[in-house]
Amino acid sequence: MQEFDLIQHFFTRSTLAQARDDILLGIGDDCALLQVPAGQALAVSMDASLAGVHFMAEADPYAIGWRALAVNLSDLAAMSAEPAWFTLGLSLPHTDTPWLEAFCQGMADLASAQGISLVGGDTTRGPLSISIQVHGFVNPQTAWKRSKAQVGDLIYVTGPLGDAAGGLCLEMAQTTIEHAAQLGFEGQDALRRAYLLPYPHIEAARILRPYVHAAIDISDGFLADLGHLLTASGCGARIDLSSLPISSALQDLLGDEAALGAALAGGDDYQLCISLPRAQAQVACEACEAAGIPLLPIGEVIETLGIFDQYHQPLPTLGYNHFNAASIQQKRLAAAISRQRV
Ligand code: ADP
Ligand code: MG
């Protein structure tokens, strides 16, 4: 298949390049022409997904497509921006039609659920890599920023932490089959899904939009990402480790101690971590509850710099950093821990 036919066949389908009134011209010309609503700012973010770094080349192409878009949507959620458009830079070693079908389906299922439309991109031959740039709308006065947390705010997350790290252990097959089997199919499936099919918390961000002071999405690990938010805001945090949301599936897989480690330092969860003014906490929690969206309290913003547990002991700000060999080790560590236990 030639490049033109490939683009035509895969990328102009209505579930990916869905119609929107603000797309004056979509895929097919040299540029797309897009209309930003009056008074709104354009929120722009980009994330690359490389085979062997962000996903395993032999992974399910449906999940690769879903995940590549999900991690970008998660950044829009973290600013409370409304998703609008995305562009796709795709490098492929060869044209594998079934692979591309599944890849596009994964991306399209999430794109149509979130109302975001593919408006352009570039397709080249090369090692498998996917770069997505998302565009959303946000009121520049009320956009959530990392820098706006205030001493006394309460800290919440939108769901369990560490499940994706558990899913990665299972995917890397660094836990024995017998041990994984003890976990049962449902537990394994939940952890795998957390890693392979992360859910961007756009809806939670929409509901919480009026209440939040500061937010970040947890991609590199809870402590690392909370640390970024706190550094930007010039404050610290006290976290009640006993209230960290850790799934029983993760505890079954890794044991309590390693599960806590995965919740604190494992990446890829894409939960939102938000800082809410105390006065707004109750109404925000009620709004989430009414919508069936979890919002779990885990700590508070304090004046002293650093992150501390409920006994005032400092916690290290561990996380995943591509340029730090220790981080690469760390991803393997969680897997190694699970192996040791069997
Ligand atoms: P040009 O050579 O002018 O840059 P291309 O041949 O690269 O144009 O692309 C033709 C059209 O197809 C453009 O509108 C471009 O945005 C779109 N396109 C190319 N690759 C992709 C892709 N991976 N996803 C979405 N649109 C794409
Ligand atoms: Mg081009």
Side-chain angles (χ1 to χ4, degrees):
M1 201 184 280
Q2 293 303 303
E3 184 189 333
F4 175 81
D5 301 320
L6 189 148
I7 294 166
Q8 196 63 26
H9 181 75
F10 289 104
F11 301 128
T12 59
R13 58 186 62 186
S14 62
T15 45
L16 266 179
Q18 53 192 302
R20 287 177 58 106
D21 290 346
D22 49 21
I23 302 173
L24 311 180
L25 189 61
I27 292 172
D29 213 312
D30 291 307
C31 295
L33 297 178
L34 308 166
Q35 188 75 57
V36 181
Q40 299 275 296
L42 192 60
V44 178
S45 180
M46 177 174 218
D47 264 304
S49 300
L50 300 177
V53 179
H54 301 93
F55 61 89
M56 285 161 254
E58 61 280 9
D60 176 4
Y62 180 97
I64 295 174
W66 173 288
R67 195 166 184 282
L69 182 58
V71 304
N72 278 278
L73 282 163
S74 179
D75 285 317
L76 289 180
M79 302 290 289
S80 190
E82 277 298 323
W85 318 303
F86 71 107
T87 52
L88 168 68
L90 186 61
S91 161
L92 293 169
H94 50 262
T95 331
D96 174 342
T97 304
W99 191 95
L100 271 166
E101 276 298 341
F103 170 79
C104 286
Q105 193 60 49
M107 209 159 45
D109 283 352
L110 184 57
S112 51
Q114 299 292 348
I116 191 168
S117 181
L118 180 63
V119 294
D122 201 24
T123 309
T124 54
R125 185 184 293 267
L128 179 58
S129 90
I130 304 138
S131 293
I132 288 182
Q133 184 165 42
V134 282
H135 305 78
F137 306 142
V138 72
N139 179 333
Q141 266 79 49
T142 56
W144 298 350
K145 301 196 187 101
R146 294 179 181 185
S147 57
K148 298 283 180 179
Q150 288 178 21
V151 173
D153 282 357
L154 298 176
I155 302 171
Y156 291 80
V157 288
T158 49
L161 301 174
D163 279 2
L168 181 62
C169 291
L170 289 167
E171 281 297 298
M172 288 170 85
Q174 285 191 327
T175 171
T176 66
I177 290 167
E178 301 89 276
H179 190 223
Q182 277 172 29
L183 185 59
F185 177 74
E186 261 174 50
Q188 285 187 53
D189 195 46
L191 297 180
R192 280 211 167 87
R193 288 178 67 89
Y195 173 64
L196 292 171
L197 303 170
Y199 197 77
H201 292 281
I202 296 287
E203 183 59 21
R206 201 171 281 142
I207 289 167
L208 289 164
R209 185 166 297 152
Y211 311 116
V212 167
H213 269 162
I216 191 164
D217 66 320
I218 305 174
S219 53
D220 296 334
F222 167 68
L223 288 177
D225 288 315
L226 175 62
H228 296 319
L229 181 148
L230 295 169
T231 303
S233 296
C235 21
R238 185 177 303 116
I239 299 301
D240 180 1
L241 294 186
S242 67
S243 69
L244 274 193
I246 297 177
S247 71
S248 53
L250 187 68
Q251 277 167 332
D252 289 348
L253 180 71
L254 297 183
D256 289 354
E257 204 174 319
L260 178 62
L264 290 174
D268 301 319
D269 278 318
Y270 298 98
Q271 299 295 346
L272 293 180
C273 175
I274 64 166
S275 162
L276 265 179
R278 248 166 229 273
Q280 305 275 30
Q282 194 184 342
V283 53
C285 289
E286 283 167 7
C288 281
E289 200 179 334
I293 285 172
L295 188 63
L296 312 159
I298 51 165
E300 62 179 327
V301 179
I302 61 174
E303 210 171 327
T304 313
L305 300 186
I307 306 178
F308 304 86
D309 69 12
Q310 65 270 40
Y311 309 112
H312 309 281
Q313 294 305 307
L315 294 167
T317 48
L318 294 172
Y320 188 75
N321 175 337
H322 284 272
F323 296 100
N324 175 355
S327 289
I328 297 159
Q329 288 308 320
Q330 193 192 314
K331 282 225 164 177
R332 300 201 176 116
L333 183 71
I337 292 165
S338 76
R339 258 179 309 169
Q340 268 170 23
R341 292 188 64 246
V342 292

